Amino acid sequence: MANVKLNPITVEVIRNSLESAVAETGATITKLAHSLLFAECKDFSVGILTSDAELLALAQYIPAHQGGMKTNADAILRVVGKENLFPGDVVMTNDPYLGGLHSQDLLLMKPLFYENEMIGFAGCVAHRTDMGGMVPGSLCLGATEIYQEAVRFPCIKLISKGKINDDIMRLYLTNVRMPEDQKADTIAQLAALDQCEQAVESIVNKYGLETYKISVREILDISERRARLEVEKIPDGVYSFCDYTEHDAIEDRDWAVRGTVTIEGSDISVDFTGTDEQAQGIINCAPYMFIPKVWQSLMYWADPSIPKNQGLYRPFKSITAPKGTIVRPNFPAPVGGSPTDTAAVILDAVLTAFTKAQPERGWATWSNCNSTTTFFGKKADGSQFVYTALDGLAIGGGGRANTDGWPASQVEASAMMIPSIEVTEQNTPIRYIKREFVQDNAGDGKFRGGTGVIVEYEVLEPMTVSYISLRNRHPSPGAEGGSDGGSQWAKAIISGKETVLAQKTVGFKVSAGDRIIVCNAGGGGFGNPKDRDPRLVKRDLDDGFISTEKARDVYGYRD
């Protein structure tokens, strides 16, 4: 290797080739997957890692998934061992207590070899329509331990040296609802891994193994150097944060996520000391997930042109959390609601600390805590369906130091999409009545928050509905004098009568013709509303984002 010289052009070509391979693989998955959650909403991620489990090549997917690939790959090396991985193997895992996110996110990971030397991993993680457990969709409201939530796979080989383990596949499909769709989605994930493997092999064939190895190291080092330059721009200091998660489906109370971000030169330390104890119910953050969520905060804060890989996260000197807290629970606490609840609050809270450190670059809270509505029942032909409607992704972004928050969007989930109305209506007995922006839903400020959307569904067959949400009592906080965003809520119209749904509702029975209405949160505002440009206030009035009363009373606007 000493005879191989580092060529910066080659390094950049290899980096782009790897990232392109990941992006192309994602497009293939979209075409092959069967479930709407997978194929339409794109609730999946693909990545390439080094043989030491460092994130190497990512595309525009879900940052928490991608960070979770790292913690899962660490678990594979720890549980299976590099010496027990061979060409043609595929490891299957979804265990939050080994390195996973929550049990619904099923990871398949393939070790990559070149001339019998292991040179990396290809990973594909996807949120599954159902992973078993006591509730359809596996968001098991009422669960008090992880055993009730889903079937778990603790880093086992689904494929060994190219031969699929039919017993494992049969065990898996026996324990989940809609097994045929699940089988097809698994095949889509396996195809993704094969495509990544072929792409990496092609790159190594072209440039040689030694050039590939030194280029990989340089790719990570470049991101680290650039990330550290960004951190050095943040004033040294200790910046506190505090935000709240609500209602664990057992206790209707609040849990505080507290801690500090410490900046020292180009190093960052994050400490969650002071955070409340773990919950009985499902809203606990998966015990490894708090680390990827903190990583994610720097991805958003730093220069977006920095290549997304493990080098970007190296400025984090330490990320610590006391065991037994809601951000790092003890086994066997349930964690099914982690991504939509406490993990999302972690991201919001750490970004709030960054805003305190650099208000000129800051933003109000985005409300990364989306709602989730799951419908379960039978179609007119008698076939069973589980449908998780991710219209809850259409929440409001926080106002920034120089611009308004985005409406109907969610950066935490990145490339995920809200459902296609036409495809949903074609494949489920659900009809959309409306999906539109909500007036006066966003936080006020010099730069106001983005508004969420309100969605109304009509069910065409008898079914049950589950609903999980956050930001009911604690809307997205504003910043620098801006007001908090709007709250989330849901209600049902049963035989013409209105019923408010609890923010954690499970197994709510509805009949044909009944309706469910879900309102998503708006983002917080940034800056004093009285400083808002009157022309922007008039635009908001014309667009219907704010009412005449709000324009007059909050913004001081007069025609």
Side-chain angles (χ1 to χ4, degrees):
M1 188 178 297
N3 295 324
V4 178
K5 293 184 179 180
L6 192 66
N7 185 321
I9 295 176
T10 301
V11 170
E12 193 67 6
V13 170
I14 289 176
R15 179 183 69 82
N16 279 277
S17 297
L18 289 168
E19 292 176 1
S20 294
V22 173
E24 291 168 6
T25 298
T28 299
I29 288 177
T30 303
K31 295 177 182 178
L32 293 177
H34 278 219
S35 64
L36 298 183
L37 191 65
F38 202 164
E40 288 295 319
C41 294
K42 297 179 174 59
D43 196 349
F44 70 89
S45 296
V46 187
I48 296 172
L49 299 86
T50 70
S51 60
D52 293 324
E54 289 192 290
L55 294 165
L56 175 59
L58 309 175
Q60 188 70 28
Y61 298 118
I62 302 172
H65 273 179
Q66 294 166 334
M69 284 187 210
K70 157 66 174 169
T71 55
N72 271 305
D74 286 336
I76 290 169
L77 292 176
R78 187 172 65 248
V79 174
V80 180
K82 190 180 291 188
E83 69 279 6
N84 296 314
L85 295 171
F86 304 100
D89 286 354
V90 175
V91 180
M92 177 179 187
T93 183
N94 68 325
D95 191 339
Y97 282 92
L98 283 180
L101 303 179
H102 62 163
S103 302
Q104 298 95 313
D105 286 332
L106 182 65
L107 174 83
L108 299 182
M109 188 161 278
K110 186 172 191 175
L112 305 177
F113 287 81
Y114 189 83
E115 296 178 351
N116 294 319
E117 179 181 348
M118 185 175 160
I119 61 171
F121 290 97
C124 179
V125 59
H127 184 115
R128 292 312 190 90
T129 302
D130 185 89
M131 283 299 290
M134 58 194 277
V135 172
S138 306
L139 275 173
C140 298
L141 302 176
T144 57
E145 54 184 11
I146 197 167
Y147 300 112
Q148 299 166 312
E149 292 194 288
V151 58
R152 288 181 293 144
F153 297 97
C155 297
I156 60 176
K157 291 186 181 182
L158 177 62
I159 298 179
S160 182
K161 296 181 180 180
K163 180 175 174 56
I164 193 164
N165 189 325
D166 291 325
D167 290 341
I168 297 297
M169 181 66 85
R170 190 163 60 251
L171 171 67
Y172 166 47
L173 297 177
T174 298
N175 281 280
V176 298
R177 300 165 181 89
M178 301 177 66
E180 290 305 312
D181 279 357
Q182 302 281 46
K183 182 178 181 180
D185 288 348
T186 303
I187 292 171
Q189 285 185 266
L190 292 173
L193 300 183
D194 288 346
Q195 186 173 353
C196 273
E197 180 181 46
Q198 292 165 13
V200 172
E201 182 179 12
S202 176
I203 293 168
V204 179
N205 279 336
K206 183 175 181 179
Y207 295 99
L209 182 57
E210 300 308 318
T211 297
Y212 178 80
K213 287 180 179 179
I214 65 167
S215 296
V216 163
R217 289 205 305 271
E218 182 64 8
I219 288 169
L220 299 176
D221 289 346
I222 288 171
S223 288
E224 179 182 5
R225 290 194 293 269
R226 294 187 61 188
R228 288 191 178 279
L229 288 173
E230 291 288 294
V231 176
E232 287 174 351
K233 298 174 185 177
I234 305 174
D236 285 0
V238 180
Y239 306 96
S240 62
F241 57 80
C242 181
D243 206 337
Y244 296 90
T245 188
E246 312 160 349
H247 202 316
D248 69 346
I250 296 174
E251 292 184 272
D252 188 3
R253 53 158 284 197
D254 302 332
W255 285 260
V257 175
R258 297 188 185 93
T260 55
V261 173
T262 301
I263 308 294
E264 294 179 299
S266 67
D267 290 331
I268 309 173
S269 299
V270 181
D271 182 6
F272 288 91
T273 296
T275 291
D276 284 351
E277 76 286 352
Q278 68 191 58
Q280 293 184 68
I282 70 168
I283 64 172
N284 298 293
C285 181
Y288 286 86
M289 193 175 187
F290 75 96
I291 296 173
K293 297 308 293 185
V294 172
W295 288 343
Q296 196 174 343
S297 66
L298 186 58
M299 178 187 290
Y300 295 161
W301 198 261
D303 182 343
S305 69
I306 298 175
K308 308 300 188 291
N309 55 51
Q310 200 67 44
L312 174 59
Y313 308 137
R314 287 177 180 171
F316 285 104
K317 181 180 178 181
S318 66
I319 303 172
T320 57
K323 291 183 178 180
T325 60
I326 198 166
V327 302
R328 192 184 177 191
N330 290 322
F331 182 85
V335 296
S338 171
T340 56
D341 285 73
T342 302
V345 170
I346 288 170
L347 176 60
D348 284 345
V350 175
L351 286 170
T352 298
F354 281 140
T355 294
K356 290 181 179 180
Q358 267 189 311
E360 70 277 10
R361 295 182 58 196
W363 52 3
T365 309
W366 195 284
S367 181
N368 286 303
C369 313
N370 60 278
S371 65
T372 301
T373 310
T374 302
F375 300 87
F376 171 67
K378 292 184 177 180
K379 302 178 185 179
D381 62 5
S383 62
Q384 190 181 71
F385 79 95
V386 179
Y387 177 59
T388 300
L390 291 185
D391 296 282
L393 293 171
I395 57 182
R400 303 291 296 271
N402 56 5
T403 190
D404 290 343
W406 294 349
S409 56
Q410 216 247 42
V411 293
E412 193 277 335
S414 193
M416 283 178 65
M417 306 290 289
I418 61 175
S420 160
I421 290 176
E422 293 78 12
V423 173
T424 299
E425 292 184 344
Q426 183 179 5
N427 288 275
T428 68
I430 298 167
R431 177 183 296 135
Y432 279 81
I433 302 301
K434 67 179 178 183
R435 186 163 72 190
E436 60 189 36
F437 291 125
V438 189
Q439 191 177 74
D440 293 342
N441 174 254
D444 305 307
K446 178 178 180 179
F447 297 104
R448 63 162 176 77
T451 186
V453 301
I454 188 168
V455 185
E456 184 172 351
Y457 313 92
E458 180 184 8
V459 303
L460 306 181
E461 299 288 342
M463 62 184 73
T464 61
V465 178
S466 295
Y467 170 73
I468 179 172
S469 72
L470 195 62
R471 296 299 186 199
N472 293 48
R473 288 189 292 271
H474 295 279
S476 302
E480 299 296 305
S483 67
D484 296 346
S487 297
Q488 298 193 125
W489 53 265
K491 60 186 178 183
I493 300 177
I494 309 295
S495 301
K497 295 182 179 180
E498 190 174 290
T499 300
V500 176
L501 298 182
Q503 66 182 111
K504 302 292 193 299
T505 295
V506 62
F508 186 83
K509 296 184 183 298
V510 291
S511 301
D514 292 340
R515 297 186 180 188
I516 300 293
I517 303 172
V518 176
C519 181
N520 299 322
F526 191 100
N528 189 333
K530 299 297 184 183
D531 294 333
R532 186 165 178 79
D533 188 328
R535 292 171 297 181
L536 297 180
V537 179
K538 184 178 187 306
R539 183 200 65 186
D540 292 343
L541 269 172
D542 293 343
D543 291 341
F545 285 134
I546 63 173
S547 62
T548 302
E549 293 76 16
K550 173 160 284 196
R552 180 189 64 236
D553 299 339
V554 175
Y555 290 100
Y557 179 78
R558 299 289 187 273
D559 281 327

